[in-house]
Amino acid sequence: MTKRTKSRNRVRSGAIFFDPRFLSQQIEEDSDSIAPHVPTLKSKLQIRSDCVVFLDCTQVGRSEMASKSTCPAPMKATSEGVFQGNNPLDYALPLVIVQICLVLVLTRVLAYLLKPLRQPRVIAEIIGGILLGPSALGRNTNYLHAVFPKSSLPVLDTLANLGLLFFLFLVGLELDLKSLRRTGKKALCVAMAGISLPFILGIGVSFVLRGTVSKGVNQGPFIVFMGVAMSITAFPVLARILAELKLLTTDVGKLAMSAAAVNDMAAWILLALAVALSGTGRSPLVALWVFLCGSAFIVLCSFVIPPVFKWMARRCPEGEPVDEVYVCGTLGVVLAAGFVTDAIGIHALFGAFVVGVLIPKEGAFAGALVEKVEDLVSGLFLPLYFVSSGLKTNVASIKGAESWGLLVLVICAACFGKIAGTVGVSLLCKIPFTEALALGLLMNTKGLVELIVLNIGKDRGVLNDQTFAILVLMALVTTFITTPSVIAVYKPAKKLAKSEYKHRTIYRKDFSTSPFRMFFTFHGIRNLPTIINLIEASRGTGKNETLTVHAMHLMELTERSSAILMAHKTRKNGSPFWKKGPKANSDQILVAFETFQQLSKVSIRPTTAISAVSSMHEDICNGAESKKAAMIVLPFHKHLRLDGHLEVARAEYRHVNRKVLEHAPCSVSILVDRGFGGSSHVSASNVDSLVTVLFFGGHDDHEALAYGARMAEHPGINLVVVRFLLDRDVASSSSVSVEIEEPDSVKTMSTDDEVIAEFKEQILKDSRNKYMERMVKNGDEVMEAVREHGRCNLVLVGRMPEGELVASMRKRSECPEMGPVGNLLIAPEVDIRASVLVVQQYRTNLSVYSLASLKEDEVTTDLGESDSS
């Protein structure tokens, strides 16, 4: 043995006391001197990590081998406190609390730092686990023995595996067997090619590793584990990457999701086979028995679980809380299934995964299970698994040019197998090369399932420290390069050329009779009654029903499993998101739109957009452009309280609205919902609403007036247009002192007069509609007039009116994106009870003031002076 080895062990008359932390390393370092005894050491020794092992060397090589172990007392759960002289880190509960807090802080910080690179959170969690382990911080033995002592690892591993058990249950809920059965031949071929070629290359790499860094391992299980590790595609991670890159709605995204779902199922089957083969039983029949019992378990569950949970789902109607008994019963079934599969010998995770896959996805029950389980599991316990894995990963074990060369070989083989296999089959399926290459890069995504495979292999003795570290780094590198490589090679072409998109505004020639399309967005069921009543008011009647509505449900993409479950269900985004037929989804949002479409003659085409809030505006703008919408209707970021005042729902939605106003391909309006039409849909015969248009002048006011004229076609809508004019005699004295270029002012006034004349000609023929002009002297009189005319059901106003009168009001800017008049209408002191629609007309280039109002609040403090100068 080396001097270093002798210093760690004490030799006494033919007996060696081995420090278990270095035993496996010694076997590798001293393989030449103790080579004849290695099989005996590995087959006879059963070492506990917290025990000191006594090995009688005189018995090595004989059939009777004497080994004794003396173990320290187990850790107590809680301490008596530092004032009693106890160190909290010597007790299980306070130590595991410190470990969890350390893990959460580090992984969240890393996730924040990697966010600009658009990396999935699993990358941060893998890196965090490696940093906390012996590869980085763990090189300091004082830290490692204090925070992650050997005696604490059983508790940490138990919590990590318990969290992983329930997370795999959630992963099973993500996979819909019905959608897998409907997978097309193209996706099936891509999935099989993405499994077979990497699996073959993994077998080839396994022979290279067995001849170098993995000598002496059991060949059969090692080959299978290497093949599985190389061929896995992480479905949850891939779904998040596709959503982040806005590819869920593309052909590549749909194909990748379908192929990844098939790949995920195949990977679990292969992993079950690998685990069955990796048992330590002497007879080959043991592996056969394990595999047969596992298959019998799956068959039994497939007959028992679906009927039971369908019965539970029927007793849990939509919109009502799920009985706690059903949730607890389900979690108990998950634990029982995990126990059975662990007893069989194929790991407890398989039982939980099988139960998740077999639970019916229809109805509210599956969603309720996700809501109950996912936050605690995904946010608190699952990161512990990455630390548990990181503590086993020692990058320092990769030594020398040979080992680093093997790392490069493994990474290249994994990437080449996935990409080449996928691209080859895709080209045979007549997929363009750029899309095929992007598909291959996406299918190369690894993730949590990869770590599960590697950790099971490590625990079963199939992978040694060096091989384990190489494969963990392979998974990290292949996942890290996915997002930047896909961005570099694939840029989906827009299906719609800008020249084909003609009607970007409601105001145009014959605007009251020509067909038009509106693009409504909403965050949840709270917005639905007002939206449906606004659609009803906008549709006209009889021969003039020319409205087509596209409604987009905006859902935030998070790390929660429910978001990915929804992403999987809506991967065919762009088509109606309700199911036709007797088993239609009972979701209230879908039922509301479907009912309204049946009662009215309006064509409603709803879709779902799933993205991060920071990029949600891209989905809205792209959706409106693809549908050739004339106007986007956005919900205001505040909602109505019971006392009649507005409060912030989510401040992030304000950022979304600003970005849409800045980048929209058509006109945009922001809807302040104060209950237009009531809390339920009002039928066409019962509509009786007063709509007021406040007209100051300018392009945005022209658009608001045009939309009001559209609404006036409905027999139940009474339209009042109030035009505000500045009293020139008073203005010339001192009331208003704003410098405006005279030619532009004259031109604007002339255009305003033309628009008003056109409105009078088309709309005032009906006695229900009225037009009036209001002379005002200053902003205070405007406020009084607005308060007077605000006693209606809906107020329409331009976002950025033009003219001297409005220029004096620009400092009233609680929400600059709402414009001066819009801010006036939402101000508490004005006390307007009507809903408000603030309209911005599409223009190729927005005005300087309009753009400045979309910046942060501090930038808009002196907008009046900067714009007028």
Side-chain angles (χ1 to χ4, degrees):
M1 295 185 181
T2 63
K3 293 180 179 180
R4 182 181 175 187
T5 304
K6 290 178 181 179
S7 66
R8 296 171 184 162
N9 308 315
R10 301 188 302 276
V11 182
R12 295 180 184 174
S13 62
I16 302 176
F17 291 87
F18 283 97
D19 185 337
R21 290 172 295 177
F22 307 109
L23 182 59
S24 61
Q25 183 178 345
Q26 289 172 205
I27 293 176
E28 299 297 332
E29 291 178 353
D30 304 327
S31 56
D32 294 335
S33 59
I34 62 172
H37 311 303
V38 168
T40 305
L41 286 170
K42 291 189 175 182
S43 62
K44 295 294 184 181
L45 276 179
Q46 294 184 353
I47 305 167
R48 281 182 50 183
S49 61
D50 55 350
C51 300
V52 178
V53 177
F54 173 81
L55 172 64
D56 188 353
C57 292
T58 60
Q59 302 298 318
V60 173
R62 300 182 183 180
S63 59
E64 299 87 2
M65 179 174 184
S67 65
K68 299 179 182 179
S69 63
T70 58
C71 303
M75 297 180 88
K76 291 184 178 180
T78 57
S79 71
E80 297 178 2
V82 293
F83 297 107
Q84 299 293 335
N86 292 155
N87 182 358
L89 296 184
D90 292 336
Y91 295 84
L93 180 60
L95 181 58
V96 80
I97 291 174
V98 171
Q99 292 170 343
I100 291 175
C101 293
L102 181 62
V103 171
L104 292 181
V105 171
L106 181 59
T107 55
R108 294 293 176 172
V109 169
L110 288 173
Y112 177 79
L113 295 176
L114 292 172
K115 193 173 183 179
L117 300 178
R118 306 175 81 173
Q119 293 294 333
R121 198 174 79 186
V122 67
I123 292 291
E125 290 170 330
I126 295 175
I127 294 176
I130 293 175
L131 292 179
L132 291 174
S135 301
L137 296 177
R139 298 177 73 85
N140 184 334
T141 55
N142 292 330
Y143 150 82
L144 193 62
H145 293 162
V147 182
F148 294 103
K150 292 288 184 180
S151 56
S152 73
L153 295 186
V155 177
L156 182 67
D157 288 342
T158 301
L159 287 176
N161 280 278
L162 186 64
L164 185 65
L165 183 105
F166 284 109
F167 183 79
L168 266 294
F169 166 67
L170 297 177
V171 171
L173 280 175
E174 294 175 8
L175 293 175
D176 189 356
L177 291 178
K178 291 183 179 179
S179 63
L180 286 180
R181 297 190 193 105
R182 295 192 298 267
T183 300
K185 293 181 180 179
K186 187 182 296 185
L188 190 60
C189 292
V190 169
M192 298 313 296
I195 295 174
S196 56
L197 184 57
F199 195 92
I200 294 172
L201 291 178
I203 294 175
V205 171
S206 69
F207 286 103
V208 177
L209 293 177
R210 285 189 72 248
T212 51
V213 297
S214 298
K215 295 179 180 178
V217 298
N218 194 342
Q219 181 175 354
F222 185 66
I223 289 175
V224 179
F225 268 99
M226 284 298 301
V228 174
M230 302 280 269
S231 59
I232 282 177
T233 296
F235 168 74
V237 180
L238 175 64
R240 288 186 175 89
I241 291 176
L242 288 172
E244 177 70 27
L245 298 181
K246 307 295 182 186
L247 296 178
L248 275 175
T249 62
T250 63
D251 293 337
V252 170
K254 298 172 189 175
L255 191 58
M257 287 283 281
S258 298
V262 176
N263 190 299
D264 216 19
M265 290 296 296
W268 282 104
I269 295 172
L270 292 173
L271 180 57
L273 175 62
V275 172
L277 292 174
S278 63
T280 56
R282 297 173 180 270
S283 172
L285 291 178
V286 172
L288 179 61
W289 275 112
V290 170
F291 193 74
L292 291 177
C293 290
S295 302
F297 169 79
I298 295 175
V299 172
L300 179 64
C301 288
S302 63
F303 281 103
V304 174
I305 289 179
V308 172
F309 285 100
K310 283 181 180 178
W311 175 82
M312 288 186 183
R314 286 195 298 268
R315 298 176 66 88
C316 300
E318 184 76 30
E320 296 184 9
V322 176
D323 196 330
E324 183 185 1
V325 173
Y326 298 145
V327 177
C328 293
T330 302
L331 300 183
V333 170
V334 173
L335 293 173
F339 173 80
V340 171
T341 51
D342 187 79
I344 291 173
I346 54 173
H347 210 285
L349 303 179
F350 287 95
F353 179 74
V354 169
V355 172
V357 170
L358 294 177
I359 287 181
K361 309 303 185 290
E362 295 83 6
F365 185 64
L369 288 175
V370 172
E371 290 291 332
K372 297 285 185 182
V373 177
E374 65 179 339
D375 285 336
L376 182 65
V377 171
S378 302
L380 193 63
F381 290 115
L382 188 62
L384 295 179
Y385 189 78
F386 292 95
V387 175
S388 177
S389 176
L391 291 173
K392 303 172 188 174
T393 306
N394 188 1
V395 178
S397 64
I398 307 176
K399 302 175 182 177
E402 181 185 60
S403 297
W404 286 103
L406 290 173
L407 173 62
V408 174
L409 173 65
V410 170
I411 293 175
C412 292
C415 294
F416 177 79
K418 276 287 183 184
I419 297 173
T422 304
V423 170
V425 172
S426 300
L427 293 177
L428 292 177
C429 295
K430 299 182 180 180
I431 297 176
F433 177 76
T434 305
E435 295 186 4
L437 183 58
L439 190 59
L441 293 169
L442 289 168
M443 295 297 289
N444 197 33
T445 304
K446 310 293 182 186
L448 178 63
V449 180
E450 175 85 0
L451 284 188
I452 294 172
V453 173
L454 299 181
N455 277 277
I456 293 176
K458 181 77 163 58
D459 295 338
R460 298 273 175 145
V462 178
L463 305 176
N464 60 20
D465 290 346
Q466 195 167 350
T467 307
F468 181 78
I470 288 174
L471 293 176
V472 168
L473 291 181
M474 179 270 291
L476 182 64
V477 171
T478 53
T479 306
F480 190 89
I481 64 175
T482 298
T483 299
S485 57
V486 171
I487 293 175
V489 304
Y490 182 64
K491 295 177 175 59
K494 292 185 177 180
K495 299 179 180 179
L496 180 67
K498 288 190 176 182
S499 59
E500 300 175 3
Y501 190 2
K502 297 179 180 179
H503 302 306
R504 297 174 181 265
T505 63
I506 293 179
Y507 175 72
R508 51 184 184 267
K509 186 177 180 181
D510 298 328
F511 60 83
S512 63
T513 58
S514 56
F516 74 114
R517 300 180 181 185
M518 297 190 69
F519 194 87
F520 285 83
T521 63
F522 60 98
H523 297 291
I525 196 169
R526 176 192 290 269
N527 309 120
L528 284 188
T530 294
I531 287 178
I532 290 177
N533 289 326
L534 186 59
I535 295 172
E536 171 65 40
S538 306
R539 72 185 182 94
T541 56
K543 297 181 180 179
N544 292 333
E545 290 185 2
T546 56
L547 175 63
T548 300
V549 172
H550 298 272
M552 177 174 281
H553 186 189
L554 302 174
M555 298 185 64
E556 182 182 2
L557 177 71
T558 65
E559 295 294 330
R560 304 177 71 185
S561 296
S562 57
I564 298 307
L565 178 62
M566 183 58 69
H568 183 50
K569 289 183 176 180
T570 59
R571 66 182 186 274
K572 293 184 178 180
N573 199 356
S575 59
F577 58 28
W578 64 64
K579 300 176 183 178
K580 303 295 183 182
K583 294 185 179 180
N585 198 321
S586 60
D587 188 274
Q588 298 178 48
I589 294 175
L590 312 183
V591 170
F593 278 122
E594 190 171 32
T595 302
F596 177 72
Q597 181 171 251
Q598 292 173 353
L599 295 175
S600 68
K601 296 181 180 179
V602 179
S603 173
I604 300 182
R605 302 169 186 176
T607 58
T608 300
I610 304 175
S611 60
V613 173
S614 59
S615 61
M616 197 172 281
H617 65 281
E618 297 177 12
D619 286 329
I620 298 172
C621 294
N622 293 336
E625 186 167 6
S626 65
K627 306 304 180 185
K628 300 181 183 179
M631 178 179 284
I632 299 171
V633 180
L634 302 170
F636 191 42
H637 70 278
K638 297 182 180 182
H639 61 74
L640 191 67
R641 295 190 314 204
L642 293 177
D643 60 2
H645 294 288
L646 296 170
E647 68 175 358
V648 176
R650 283 195 61 179
E652 296 91 339
Y653 294 155
R654 185 181 183 185
H655 167 80
V656 175
N657 291 351
R658 287 180 171 186
K659 287 294 185 180
V660 174
L661 287 167
E662 184 177 356
H663 301 289
C666 61
S667 296
V668 183
S669 60
I670 298 178
L671 176 62
V672 182
D673 183 5
R674 290 193 175 109
F676 175 60
S679 59
S680 60
H681 170 229
V682 180
S683 61
S685 59
N686 295 327
V687 172
D688 185 14
S689 299
L690 177 61
V691 177
T692 301
V693 178
L694 303 180
F695 189 92
F696 292 84
H699 295 85
D700 292 348
D701 279 21
H702 300 168
E703 192 74 0
L705 181 60
Y707 186 44
R710 287 278 191 177
M711 300 179 72
E713 298 172 10
H714 196 292
I717 299 295
N718 302 304
L719 181 67
V720 176
V721 178
V722 182
R723 184 181 186 184
F724 289 86
L725 296 173
L726 180 63
D727 190 334
R728 290 287 176 181
D729 295 334
V730 178
S732 61
S733 58
S734 60
S735 296
V736 180
S737 56
V738 180
E739 298 178 5
I740 300 291
E741 296 182 8
E742 191 64 26
D744 291 344
S745 179
V746 172
K747 183 178 180 181
T748 301
M749 289 288 293
S750 176
T751 307
D752 293 343
D753 292 338
E754 293 175 4
V755 173
I756 291 293
E758 184 180 358
F759 163 77
K760 290 180 178 179
E761 180 183 352
Q762 296 184 3
I763 303 301
L764 292 186
K765 298 175 183 178
D766 194 325
S767 60
R768 295 178 295 106
N769 305 320
K770 297 179 181 179
Y771 170 79
M772 62 182 68
E773 294 183 352
R774 187 74 177 260
M775 301 295 293
V776 292
K777 301 175 181 179
N778 50 42
D780 293 333
E781 290 194 3
V782 171
M783 182 183 295
E784 290 299 324
V786 167
R787 185 181 289 113
E788 177 185 340
H789 293 288
R791 298 187 182 97
C792 58
N793 301 104
L794 177 67
V795 179
L796 296 176
V797 64
R799 190 177 83 86
M800 287 296 160
E802 301 172 15
E804 299 175 62
L805 181 60
V806 178
S808 66
M809 302 166 54
R810 287 179 179 171
K811 292 185 180 180
R812 301 178 186 272
S813 55
E814 177 190 352
C815 298
E817 71 276 6
M818 298 293 286
V821 184
N823 273 285
L824 187 64
L825 291 168
I826 63 175
E829 59 269 18
V830 180
D831 195 25
I832 298 292
R833 298 293 178 178
S835 296
V836 179
L837 196 67
V838 179
V839 181
Q840 172 183 281
Q841 188 182 61
Y842 170 77
R843 301 174 71 182
T844 306
N845 296 310
L846 296 178
S847 65
V848 175
Y849 179 73
S850 182
L851 285 173
S853 68
L854 300 177
K855 306 304 178 182
E856 295 300 324
D857 297 63
E858 59 267 16
V859 180
T860 62
T861 53
D862 298 319
L863 287 176
E865 292 81 1
S866 64
D867 187 65
S868 59
S869 60

